[in-house]
Amino acid sequence: MNDDAQDRQDHENEGFGRRAFLGTSALGLAGGLLGAGIPLQMTATGALAQSGVLDGKDRLDLLNDRPVNAETPAHLLDDEITPIDRHFIRNNGVVPAETSAEGWTLSIDGLVDSPMEMTIDELRNNFEVVTMALTLECGGNGRAFFNPPASGNQWTYGAVACSEWTGVRLREVLEAAGVQDGAIYTGHHGADMHLSGDPERSPLSRGIPIEKAMTDNVLIAFEMNGEALHPMNGAPLRLVVPGWPGSCSQKWLTRIEALDQLHDGTKMGAPSYQVPAYPVAPGTEVPLEDFEIINAMPVKSLITYPQDGADVGTEFEVRGHAWAGDRMIQRMEISTDYGESWQEVELDDPVNDGAWQNWRASASVPQAGYYEIWGRATDSDGVMQPHAIRWNPKGYLNNSFHKVALQAGDR
Ligand SMILES: Nc1nc2c(c(=O)[nH]1)N[C@H]1C(S)=C(S)[C@@H](COP(=O)(O)O)O[C@H]1N2
Ligand SMILES: [Mo]
């Protein structure tokens, strides 16, 4: 069975029996409690994560160790530029044994006039090297709160980051290869190994429409925050496709094809990284032909200070980030009274196209006690984050309000 077939099989197996089983497991229990709301950190990290130690990533919460998947607690995402040690990890397979830049090559082929194979030095020397802060979010970020639960990594909030990536523009490389008019999609290939160990199988190989590939903020990156890429984040070379599901951003990048049709690589097919083409009731079994590929990610925001459950008194700062796929954030608001009233925050412009937007506000509550801080962003199309989850079978695109618990002062 190939991987898309396996994925479809998993999908078909997600009947009520399996959900009933999940409902009694630790996972389902956490999902239920978390779905009920607050406090979050305590249940999420307690039930879901054995706190894992990963080289240079030791404060992340490990969700799975084969393949390695780890997320960043929201309060550790407070920096405007995400430090390398706080960038989440989402692997579908096994990290390549060799991740040194020495001898690494990238091939460009398919519908191009001049197929190319270049070393990383050749990329550096032949194209303009640019540095940009770019937001990367896993399509499944927020899946832990789906009810009925969705299978897959139970990400809470922390499968998102905005580091500074240095590399060359995919557009310039495709143009140098002479990408032909008939090309409509890319196909991305990486050097990671399938969990089965079968070298013929790829853990993940996705692509993007050629118009997106030609956007100025899509990079073939060889540095992260001015250093070599972390092995878990795709060293020595990766794509960064900001604002689209993280799965478009192929790590350990070895080859890009230009195609005259949709790429057919692993996890391009439904239901992977796809959602139903119409709204469905929670728990609905959706026929595979009714799914469509996720392109730009929806408007979303994160509160990174105060930390969930913290006591910061009755007057405090609130801050975080907001982002919206290919669009900008127009307005960011917070509420400390369960949505009765909203306060607009101070919102920065993105440092460049594709970066998340930082925001901050001075807030206060009328007396000591328990509160929740809620955040909601509105994008440049006027679309606001929803209060609740739009359920879909695979648990993608949860962009509902972020809420943190606050114990304001002694009672
Ligand atoms: N080769 C390869 N690239 C990959 C993946 C993978 O498993 N293999 N995972 C993708 C997914 S699903 C996401 S969300 C991002 C995560 O990037 P990060 O691990 O650097 O945070 O990488 C993407 N690129
Ligand atoms: Mo992802």
Side-chain angles (χ1 to χ4, degrees), residues 87-90 92 192 204 233 238 246 249-251 273:
H87 196 290
F88 74 101
I89 301 165
R90 197 296 185 238
N92 288 268
D192 45 341
L204 180 89
N233 300 118
R238 76 172 302 167
S249 296
Q250 194 82 29
K251 301 193 281 187
Y273 306 107

Side-chain angles (χ1 to χ4, degrees), residues 24 95 134 205 244 262 376 409:
T24 58
V95 178
L134 300 172
S205 173
W244 284 43
L262 211 61
R376 70 177 189 197

